[in-house]
Amino acid sequence: MTRIDRIAEPWGTRTPYGSGGEWPVRVDTHLAEGVTPEDVDRWVQTASLLHSNGDAMDIAVKDNKIVGVRGRASDRVNHGRLGPKDLYGWQANASPDRLTKPLIREGGKLVETDWDTAMKRVVDRSKALLAEQGPSAIGFYTTGQLFAEEYYTLGTVAHGGIGTNHVDGNTRLCTATAAEALKESFGCDGQPGSYTDVDHADVIALYGHNVAETQTVLWTRMLDRLAGPNPPKIICVDPRMTPVAKAATVHLAPRPGTNVALMNGILHEIIANGWVDQEYIQAHTVGYAELEKEVKNYPPALAAEICGVPAEQISEAASIIGHAERLLSTVLQGFYQSNQATAAAVQVNNVNIIRGMLGKPGCGILQMNGQPTAENTRECGADGDLAAFRNWSNDAHIKDLARVWNIDPMSIPHYSPPTHVMQMMRYAEDGSIRMLWVSGTNPAVSLPELARVRSILEQERLFLVVQDIFLSETAQLADVVLPAATWGEKTGTFTNVDRTVHLSEKAVDPPGEARPDLDIFIDYAHRMGLQDKDGQPLIKWHDPESAFEAWKECSRGRPCDYTGITYEKLRGGSGIQWPCNDENPDGTERIYAGGKFWAHPEYCETYGRDLITGAPVDPSEYKALNPEGKAIIKAAEYVPPHELPSRDFPLQLITGRTLYQFHTRTKTGRAPELQAAAPDVWVELSADDAGAYGIAEGDLAEVETPRGSVRAKVRISGIRTGVLFLPFHYGYWDTDGGHQPDGAGRAANELTITDWDAASKQPIFKTAAARITRVSGGDGPSPAPTTTASAPAGDFPEEARTKGIASALADEATGTAGGAR
Amino acid sequence: MKFGLVLEEMHRSENDLAHHLLTISERHKVDHEIYHLARDLARWSQQHVRDIAAIAGNYGQDLDPEPRGEAGLMETLREKGSEMVGRRPETGMLLLRDLRELYLKACGVSADWELLAQAAQGMKDKDLLALAEKCHPQTIRQMKWANGKLKESATQVLVS
């Protein structure tokens, strides 16, 4: 057992292993000051809720309070390890400013009330709107941080009970493109790869995926491979000098918004050099000829010119990928939140498809998620898609879902694609959505172009319900605020990036009158009198386990089949990967083995969309193209971003995360070790740009776009010249402004453009034209962490390096008994 | 030969389609997907105009290679107007009308490409056939986009 500062050492101590070996166990623990493991009354099983990796852990409980966490050694995902956000973030649960009573707006102010009064307001307004306008007046906007049972209930209430098409999650901002890219290439959502592919891969290519900060434990696994015998080669595509870029064999730092050109350049080389598996292409795919034709137009020299990277680097990266024997490709926000998001992510799928590298150890694709339960938002129907990957344009699927819910198929809105959140905001703006119920997310900070978002949410004519654990910026604008329980205070399941399902058990009671989200949704359904066609209650479950059983039935026979999983089976050992059913009682490590896909026209989740226009593909067209349900190779031409640099705004702004904070910091900003590590907003620019604009490290600068401005202290980092970076975590709840700027802007989304990918509808946070000016000199380095992609480019005083406060010391235990596969 | 007239009509209808896309874009600036996509898709038609003009000389036609002009003062006014009325429900009806017209125009252009392709085959003109094979699929994508947006927008506009 060793003590280690996990703020200064975010990935902890190396435990090297070789190709095909077992990743050694390392158990990470952090307990409150003065508490020893012997003091703990009980350990309660759960998994991480502050990122998408799904690291299994136990909550330490003493005197009915959460006093710490410990990684679960037996779990397949993390083999005992935890990331900094897990080690320290649990403290936010006990924050004194948790919401403990419902609030309603009276005379312009939010005042405390009881549940009956608050729910009556919500129900009365819902009923009045349904009578006056119908379901088109009501929208639901949820999150990627509730549990599967809760999403399934919400989806059933919204789609089957209220009958509205306006349902989405904030997964639209983080993982919509992952889902869409998988649907386009494989006809269905579902992660092809498994984390164990890291154990086998000889090349790992990370596209816009700063895994070191977004999924620290997955990066730890990669670091341990890199430290062991026969390490994999790393290809990194990122305009910032991330920890991944530093470890890469080839680092490509393209101009923001040019990912499709880059991918087409790489594919050009792979195809021109014949590094493809013709047999696999013939047997298991459709559309290859189109790809060949398209990428012919992108020789490396041309791609290099568009992307602003050396042509030799494109060729070198393509050669490494082309010679890989076991290729793992991963993708995240650098692609998903950028120009041509889906088209670019699909080209990554194409690389693995044409090389025949799917469904075998080390050969996988990880289209990543940003949030812990995003996969459940997608599969349970809370992102607007229909439950269990049913196809909204396949009448047989609608009929089948209506059978499960025992309602008339006409009651399920399926006349057009679901309304994504950016469109919902537009409908709220034009006054046709008149009630918006936001659960577990904070659009007043996280959506693009905040001045516009605030002006929409502030409207008198919009009835805004916010269900949250803190009085977020969005909650401050609400008409009704419902206090919710969170992780550790309620029970449910959730599923990570690689389809691993974990059980998260209740450890302590929620504070005050706060209630589990599941209870709130069920209460609403009953108060609304939502019924099936026999006059029985639509929601027939009453607690997490009965909700899970209902969800299992809904998933039966679908790709995300949960029927073989029970709460009992999830207790104790390791998480389980779906599909888990009679044929696969222990779950399924890799899908798509042997070139078998879920793309058959009668079975697939979608017929896809045009990658450029976003227009849905007609069912008959899909059937003609892909009658046997093979993998679909879709090509795309490069289309420039809608907002390009100009004389007034000569730079490009990208936004993103830091390792130490999550989303709008509702939890991480209330954990002292994490908040101290990244206390305030900063802006990154290159040394060249700093010289050109006469700006020094630590100076206060103003960043402007046509939509607004933000003031931040400058970090001169290894970012590409011509590009600015702002972290998006910093809003206004801990400032005098409350929900909006009081003076200078702080939230990155004051600056971002209202524009989204036509296929996935994911907003484009990473291609705004911007300028920067120096405001005043600083009194020291900027508050940006030095351990991560925001590390300084040049020399830096030792005392200014990111280190933990005294309570940041955590325990590491290596050499304990084996982890599960 | 009547073929020159087909080219002239093709040139006119692609110009008209590009212009209509740009007009829709400006008029519905507050509907951001319409605004951005209509501009992207107008570029396809503008390129078709150039391509048609380039080949027209072979058939004795002198057609302007420059697509009709882009945003001037009127367009900027339309954008401002869009922002001002964007919070009123009538804009939805206007959007449906514009998308319907766009769909019909794109269908017309698609039919024109059919005619041109048939003629190209009759004349065994490979360059002309290649042009039709390059451009016509884009016209169909414009058509499907208009149809898709129409379908997607209709319910909310008509039933709320």
Side-chain angles (χ1 to χ4, degrees):
Chain A
M1 185 93 84
T2 50
R3 300 279 279 168
I4 177 168
D5 173 1
R6 288 294 302 281
I7 295 291
E9 305 282 347
W11 308 286
T13 306
R14 296 282 59 74
T15 53
Y17 71 123
S19 177
E22 180 88 356
W23 190 27
V25 165
R26 185 191 88 194
V27 176
D28 299 342
T29 308
H30 183 246
L31 295 174
E33 207 71 21
V35 177
T36 67
E38 294 71 43
D39 300 332
V40 172
D41 296 336
R42 58 182 186 277
W43 296 91
V44 181
Q45 184 176 348
T46 182
S48 309
L49 202 82
L50 291 169
H51 51 78
S52 64
N53 208 50
D55 300 327
M57 63 169 100
D58 290 322
I59 297 174
V61 179
K62 177 177 162 52
D63 303 330
N64 291 316
K65 288 196 177 71
I66 297 178
V67 292
V69 290
R70 181 179 68 192
R72 289 178 61 82
S74 62
D75 197 272
R76 61 173 301 280
V77 170
N78 55 324
H79 296 215
R81 288 164 191 77
L82 293 176
K85 285 199 282 278
D86 305 317
L87 290 168
Y88 312 112
W90 54 269
Q91 299 166 95
N93 274 38
S95 272
D97 57 343
R98 279 288 298 274
L99 289 169
T100 56
K101 283 179 78 80
L103 309 174
I104 50 172
R105 193 163 291 277
E106 287 289 349
K109 281 202 159 65
L110 285 171
V111 296
E112 291 192 349
T113 187
D114 55 50
W115 274 98
D116 262 342
T117 310
M119 289 306 285
K120 186 168 183 312
R121 282 222 177 164
V122 178
V123 168
D124 286 352
R125 182 60 72 103
S126 304
K127 285 183 173 169
L129 287 172
L130 285 176
E132 196 190 317
Q133 179 181 327
S136 67
I138 301 176
F140 294 90
Y141 181 43
T142 189
T143 179
Q145 296 163 54
L146 302 187
F147 295 160
E149 295 78 356
E150 296 168 332
Y151 294 133
Y152 181 56
T153 305
L154 174 63
T156 308
V157 164
H159 285 135
I162 302 291
T164 181
N165 209 16
H166 309 323
V167 185
D168 203 359
N170 66 6
T171 49
R172 189 63 55 192
L173 317 182
C174 72
T175 188
T177 301
E180 192 60 36
L182 294 171
K183 290 180 201 172
E184 294 297 341
S185 298
F186 306 112
C188 190
D189 198 345
Q191 191 68 268
S194 170
Y195 287 165
T196 47
D197 289 331
V198 173
D199 307 345
H200 302 278
D202 65 341
V203 174
I204 304 178
L206 302 101
Y207 299 94
H209 181 201
N210 182 9
V211 61
E213 299 194 54
T214 52
Q215 291 87 12
T216 56
V217 171
L218 185 58
W219 178 237
T220 303
R221 196 171 193 145
M222 294 179 190
L223 282 175
D224 285 347
R225 274 296 315 277
L226 289 171
N230 46 54
K233 286 183 176 156
I234 303 280
I235 306 288
C236 171
V237 178
D238 202 311
R240 296 170 79 207
M241 187 54 75
T242 62
V244 180
K246 286 177 183 164
T249 312
V250 181
H251 172 208
L252 300 154
R255 185 175 285 130
T258 64
N259 293 327
V260 166
L262 181 71
M263 291 312 302
N264 282 352
I266 291 173
L267 283 162
H268 176 281
E269 288 298 273
I270 291 174
I271 290 176
N273 288 290
W275 298 320
V276 295
D277 184 339
Q278 286 292 357
E279 226 169 281
Y280 189 91
I281 293 170
Q282 284 299 321
H284 304 299
T285 74
V286 294
Y288 181 63
E290 280 301 308
L291 182 72
E292 264 187 312
K293 199 172 129 198
E294 185 65 51
V295 303
K296 256 202 184 101
N297 303 324
Y298 295 85
L302 177 71
E305 200 179 308
I306 298 171
C307 306
V309 298
E312 307 75 57
Q313 275 196 358
I314 296 178
S315 301
E316 192 191 351
S319 172
I320 290 171
I321 293 166
H323 287 98
E325 286 170 22
R326 293 173 305 280
L327 170 67
L328 173 62
S329 302
T330 77
V331 195
L332 196 59
Q333 312 303 5
F335 274 37
Y336 300 165
Q337 296 181 337
S338 193
N339 179 45
Q340 293 198 277
T342 307
V346 161
Q347 301 320 311
V348 177
N349 292 343
N350 287 342
V351 171
N352 278 69
I353 294 172
I354 66 175
R355 301 221 60 233
M357 295 213 175
L358 283 170
K360 297 180 286 192
C363 301
I365 300 168
L366 293 170
Q367 296 279 358
M368 300 297 294
N369 308 344
Q371 291 183 83
T373 76
E375 184 55 39
N376 308 104
T377 316
R378 280 148 59 176
E379 66 202 19
C380 296
D383 69 343
D385 288 342
L386 293 176
F389 301 155
R390 284 178 176 84
N391 187 342
W392 64 267
S393 46
N394 182 335
D395 285 341
H397 286 200
I398 303 299
K399 217 171 132 189
D400 186 56
L401 185 59
R403 174 192 58 79
V404 172
W405 289 344
N406 193 35
I407 61 174
D408 183 341
M410 275 294 278
S411 309
I412 302 172
H414 62 284
Y415 36 78
S416 68
T419 315
H420 56 96
V421 65
M422 297 305 292
Q423 189 62 46
M424 275 199 246
M425 294 302 286
R426 173 66 194 130
Y427 289 154
E429 187 178 41
D430 76 17
S432 64
I433 283 184
R434 295 154 72 187
M435 169 175 154
L436 185 64
W437 184 332
V438 176
S439 47
T441 186
N442 193 8
V445 179
S446 54
L447 289 185
E449 202 178 346
L450 287 182
R452 169 175 180 264
V453 170
R454 282 189 294 265
S455 80
I456 293 169
L457 296 177
E458 278 166 359
Q459 292 176 104
E460 281 282 328
R461 64 179 177 180
L462 177 70
F463 184 72
L464 181 64
V465 180
V466 174
Q467 177 173 323
D468 212 319
I469 67 171
F470 291 106
L471 194 68
S472 66
E473 288 85 344
T474 308
Q476 293 175 47
L477 299 171
D479 296 283
V480 176
V481 179
L482 304 173
T486 185
W487 170 93
E489 300 164 356
K490 59 179 188 179
T491 293
T493 52
F494 57 92
T495 306
N496 78 344
V497 172
D498 81 341
R499 294 172 282 106
T500 305
V501 185
H502 285 114
L503 178 66
S504 178
E505 301 234 51
K506 177 177 169 174
V508 299
D509 284 326
E513 295 175 29
R515 301 175 68 189
D517 300 272
L518 180 69
D519 295 9
I520 299 172
F521 293 140
I522 294 178
D523 185 29
Y524 176 70
H526 292 334
R527 285 175 192 260
M528 287 295 291
L530 303 180
Q531 292 180 340
D532 67 12
K533 65 183 180 190
D534 296 326
Q536 297 302 305
L538 176 69
I539 303 300
K540 297 172 174 59
W541 47 93
H542 56 278
D543 65 1
E545 193 155 4
S546 56
F548 186 72
E549 290 300 315
W551 160 240
K552 279 166 59 177
E553 264 324 293
C554 183
S555 76
R556 184 179 294 277
R558 295 299 299 159
C560 52
D561 196 330
Y562 279 68
T563 49
I565 304 177
T566 61
Y567 273 22
E568 205 40 54
K569 211 163 160 178
L570 291 171
R571 283 192 180 104
S574 171
I576 300 169
Q577 287 170 288
W578 66 246
C580 178
N581 46 23
D582 290 344
E583 299 85 73
N584 310 288
D586 300 318
T588 309
E589 187 170 19
R590 287 179 191 85
I591 58 176
Y592 303 157
K596 288 188 188 64
F597 302 97
W598 291 320
H600 191 276
E602 299 309 321
Y603 192 69
C604 67
E605 183 185 7
T606 175
Y607 300 125
R609 290 176 182 270
D610 186 313
L611 295 184
I612 304 293
T613 71
V617 174
D618 187 71
S620 56
E621 202 182 327
Y622 183 91
K623 281 172 199 167
L625 169 83
N626 194 19
E628 295 167 60
K630 297 180 176 183
I632 305 140
I633 297 173
K634 281 197 171 181
E637 72 262 36
Y638 165 68
V639 179
H642 293 132
E643 188 170 86
L644 288 164
S646 60
R647 202 182 55 185
D648 288 343
F649 299 99
L651 302 169
Q652 282 188 298
L653 171 71
I654 58 175
T655 71
R657 302 165 194 248
T658 181
L659 187 151
Y660 301 102
Q661 300 283 8
F662 187 54
H663 280 203
T664 59
R665 294 181 306 123
T666 43
K667 281 187 175 175
T668 52
R670 289 170 169 98
E673 299 82 2
L674 298 171
Q675 177 61 10
D680 207 346
V681 67
W682 70 89
V683 57
E684 281 169 41
L685 79 170
S686 73
D688 281 358
D689 284 332
Y693 294 95
I695 297 174
E697 168 74 32
D699 282 359
L700 183 66
E702 183 156 70
V703 184
E704 290 170 284
T705 70
R707 291 156 294 276
S709 73
V710 164
R711 284 189 179 194
K713 289 200 169 171
V714 168
R715 163 58 43 87
I716 297 172
S717 74
I719 195 168
R720 180 189 165 93
T721 292
V723 183
L724 303 174
F725 172 89
L726 274 174
F728 61 53
H729 307 290
Y730 302 91
Y732 305 101
W733 60 262
D734 53 349
T735 70
D736 291 341
H739 73 281
Q740 61 188 355
D742 177 24
R746 188 189 194 206
N749 281 318
E750 305 291 347
L751 305 174
T752 43
I753 186 171
T754 303
D755 186 11
W756 53 85
D757 181 63
S760 70
K761 313 300 180 188
Q762 183 156 352
I764 296 165
F765 292 103
K766 294 188 195 281
T767 22
R771 67 176 168 234
I772 187 166
T773 43
R774 182 178 180 275
V775 175
S776 60
D779 46 10
S782 81
T786 63
T787 40
T788 57
S790 55
D795 289 339
F796 211 69
E798 181 54 34
E799 64 275 15
R801 296 198 177 275
T802 299
K803 288 189 273 293
I805 58 177
S807 57
L809 283 178
D811 291 318
E812 257 185 5
T814 45
T816 38
R821 295 291 300 174
Chain B
M1 195 159 67
K2 299 176 216 66
F3 182 68
L5 295 175
V6 175
L7 275 180
E8 206 181 316
E9 168 57 17
M10 191 83 247
H11 181 262
R12 189 202 60 77
S13 66
E14 282 284 16
N15 243 328
D16 184 44
L17 182 57
H19 186 257
H20 189 64
L21 278 160
L22 290 173
T23 308
I24 288 182
S25 164
E26 290 139 8
R27 193 144 60 204
H28 301 284
K29 192 169 186 222
V30 286
D31 276 294
H32 295 81
E33 189 170 322
I34 305 279
Y35 176 71
H36 291 299
L37 258 292
R39 299 183 79 76
D40 286 348
L41 299 189
R43 280 209 293 272
W44 290 355
S45 285
Q46 290 176 331
Q47 186 56 43
H48 297 176
V49 167
R50 288 187 200 100
D51 293 344
I52 293 161
I55 214 166
N58 301 350
Y59 298 91
Q61 291 280 322
D62 181 20
L63 299 173
D64 187 353
E66 265 318 292
R68 273 170 67 184
E70 264 211 57
L73 179 64
M74 280 311 292
E75 285 74 10
T76 312
L77 283 177
R78 268 200 289 270
E79 287 185 12
K80 279 287 155 222
S82 164
E83 282 165 11
M84 281 154 67
V85 300
R87 296 202 168 195
R88 299 223 308 262
E90 307 86 83
T91 51
M93 287 305 287
L94 183 61
L95 178 64
L96 293 188
R97 201 196 67 184
D98 280 345
L99 288 172
R100 180 177 177 279
E101 199 183 334
L102 173 65
Y103 176 64
L104 293 177
K105 278 182 195 289
C107 286
V109 175
S110 171
D112 289 343
W113 281 115
E114 293 280 9
L115 294 181
L116 190 135
Q118 291 304 100
Q121 289 181 73
M123 297 184 296
K124 301 187 175 53
D125 185 330
K126 282 187 187 149
D127 290 346
L128 198 59
L129 190 61
L131 180 67
E133 280 170 356
K134 185 194 118 184
C135 298
H136 193 194
Q138 290 186 324
T139 310
I140 292 173
R141 290 165 80 186
Q142 290 170 320
M143 217 168 88
K144 286 183 178 167
W145 179 70
N147 190 39
K149 290 317 273 184
L150 198 60
K151 198 172 164 185
E152 184 185 305
S153 318
T155 316
Q156 187 72 5
V157 174
L158 300 175
V159 192
S160 60

PDB file of all heavy atoms in Angstrom, chain A residues 57 78 137 148 303 350 355 424 546 575:
ATOM      1  N   MET A  57     -16.708   0.533  -8.456  1.00  0.00           N
ATOM      2  CA  MET A  57     -16.171   0.939  -7.151  1.00  0.00           C
ATOM      3  C   MET A  57     -17.157   0.612  -6.039  1.00  0.00           C
ATOM      4  O   MET A  57     -18.316   0.276  -6.293  1.00  0.00           O
ATOM      5  CB  MET A  57     -15.884   2.437  -7.153  1.00  0.00           C
ATOM      6  CG  MET A  57     -17.106   3.312  -7.347  1.00  0.00           C
ATOM      7  SD  MET A  57     -16.730   5.041  -7.009  1.00  0.00           S
ATOM      8  CE  MET A  57     -16.521   5.659  -8.631  1.00  0.00           C
ATOM      9  N   ASN A  78     -11.938  -1.841 -14.776  1.00  0.00           N
ATOM     10  CA  ASN A  78     -10.872  -1.024 -14.180  1.00  0.00           C
ATOM     11  C   ASN A  78      -9.883  -1.803 -13.324  1.00  0.00           C
ATOM     12  O   ASN A  78      -8.882  -1.231 -12.914  1.00  0.00           O
ATOM     13  CB  ASN A  78     -11.482   0.110 -13.357  1.00  0.00           C
ATOM     14  CG  ASN A  78     -12.454  -0.362 -12.298  1.00  0.00           C
ATOM     15  OD1 ASN A  78     -13.194  -1.335 -12.499  1.00  0.00           O
ATOM     16  ND2 ASN A  78     -12.469   0.312 -11.179  1.00  0.00           N
ATOM     17  N   ALA A 137     -46.872  20.530 -27.419  1.00  0.00           N
ATOM     18  CA  ALA A 137     -46.540  21.656 -26.538  1.00  0.00           C
ATOM     19  C   ALA A 137     -45.518  21.286 -25.464  1.00  0.00           C
ATOM     20  O   ALA A 137     -45.004  22.153 -24.773  1.00  0.00           O
ATOM     21  CB  ALA A 137     -47.815  22.175 -25.862  1.00  0.00           C
ATOM     22  N   ALA A 148     -30.640   3.560 -16.115  1.00  0.00           N
ATOM     23  CA  ALA A 148     -31.430   2.944 -17.195  1.00  0.00           C
ATOM     24  C   ALA A 148     -32.909   2.891 -16.822  1.00  0.00           C
ATOM     25  O   ALA A 148     -33.779   3.198 -17.639  1.00  0.00           O
ATOM     26  CB  ALA A 148     -30.914   1.533 -17.485  1.00  0.00           C
ATOM     27  N   ALA A 303      -4.998  16.672 -49.060  1.00  0.00           N
ATOM     28  CA  ALA A 303      -5.500  16.607 -47.681  1.00  0.00           C
ATOM     29  C   ALA A 303      -4.618  17.447 -46.766  1.00  0.00           C
ATOM     30  O   ALA A 303      -5.109  18.173 -45.896  1.00  0.00           O
ATOM     31  CB  ALA A 303      -5.539  15.152 -47.216  1.00  0.00           C
ATOM     32  N   ASN A 350     -14.911   3.154 -41.346  1.00  0.00           N
ATOM     33  CA  ASN A 350     -14.511   2.595 -42.638  1.00  0.00           C
ATOM     34  C   ASN A 350     -13.099   2.004 -42.601  1.00  0.00           C
ATOM     35  O   ASN A 350     -12.837   0.991 -43.242  1.00  0.00           O
ATOM     36  CB  ASN A 350     -14.606   3.667 -43.734  1.00  0.00           C
ATOM     37  CG  ASN A 350     -16.049   3.975 -44.114  1.00  0.00           C
ATOM     38  OD1 ASN A 350     -16.952   3.186 -43.816  1.00  0.00           O
ATOM     39  ND2 ASN A 350     -16.269   5.107 -44.762  1.00  0.00           N
ATOM     40  N   ARG A 355     -10.297  -2.874 -43.502  1.00  0.00           N
ATOM     41  CA  ARG A 355      -9.149  -3.690 -43.092  1.00  0.00           C
ATOM     42  C   ARG A 355      -9.611  -4.993 -42.432  1.00  0.00           C
ATOM     43  O   ARG A 355      -8.805  -5.793 -41.969  1.00  0.00           O
ATOM     44  CB  ARG A 355      -8.230  -2.914 -42.132  1.00  0.00           C
ATOM     45  CG  ARG A 355      -7.680  -1.609 -42.740  1.00  0.00           C
ATOM     46  CD  ARG A 355      -6.217  -1.391 -42.397  1.00  0.00           C
ATOM     47  NE  ARG A 355      -5.401  -2.472 -42.895  1.00  0.00           N
ATOM     48  CZ  ARG A 355      -4.556  -3.180 -42.152  1.00  0.00           C
ATOM     49  NH1 ARG A 355      -4.382  -2.897 -40.878  1.00  0.00           N
ATOM     50  NH2 ARG A 355      -3.866  -4.161 -42.690  1.00  0.00           N
ATOM     51  N   MET A 424     -35.709  21.622 -30.286  1.00  0.00           N
ATOM     52  CA  MET A 424     -36.642  21.927 -29.178  1.00  0.00           C
ATOM     53  C   MET A 424     -36.477  23.367 -28.727  1.00  0.00           C
ATOM     54  O   MET A 424     -37.453  24.063 -28.437  1.00  0.00           O
ATOM     55  CB  MET A 424     -36.373  20.994 -27.997  1.00  0.00           C
ATOM     56  CG  MET A 424     -37.084  19.675 -28.095  1.00  0.00           C
ATOM     57  SD  MET A 424     -37.150  18.929 -26.452  1.00  0.00           S
ATOM     58  CE  MET A 424     -36.129  17.540 -26.682  1.00  0.00           C
ATOM     59  N   SER A 546     -38.185  -3.573 -10.290  1.00  0.00           N
ATOM     60  CA  SER A 546     -39.322  -3.871 -11.169  1.00  0.00           C
ATOM     61  C   SER A 546     -39.221  -3.066 -12.469  1.00  0.00           C
ATOM     62  O   SER A 546     -39.634  -3.540 -13.537  1.00  0.00           O
ATOM     63  CB  SER A 546     -40.652  -3.615 -10.462  1.00  0.00           C
ATOM     64  OG  SER A 546     -40.738  -2.295  -9.973  1.00  0.00           O
ATOM     65  N   GLY A 575     -19.026  -6.268 -13.728  1.00  0.00           N
ATOM     66  CA  GLY A 575     -20.085  -5.833 -14.639  1.00  0.00           C
ATOM     67  C   GLY A 575     -20.196  -6.805 -15.805  1.00  0.00           C
ATOM     68  O   GLY A 575     -19.287  -7.600 -16.057  1.00  0.00           O
TER      69      GLY A 575
END
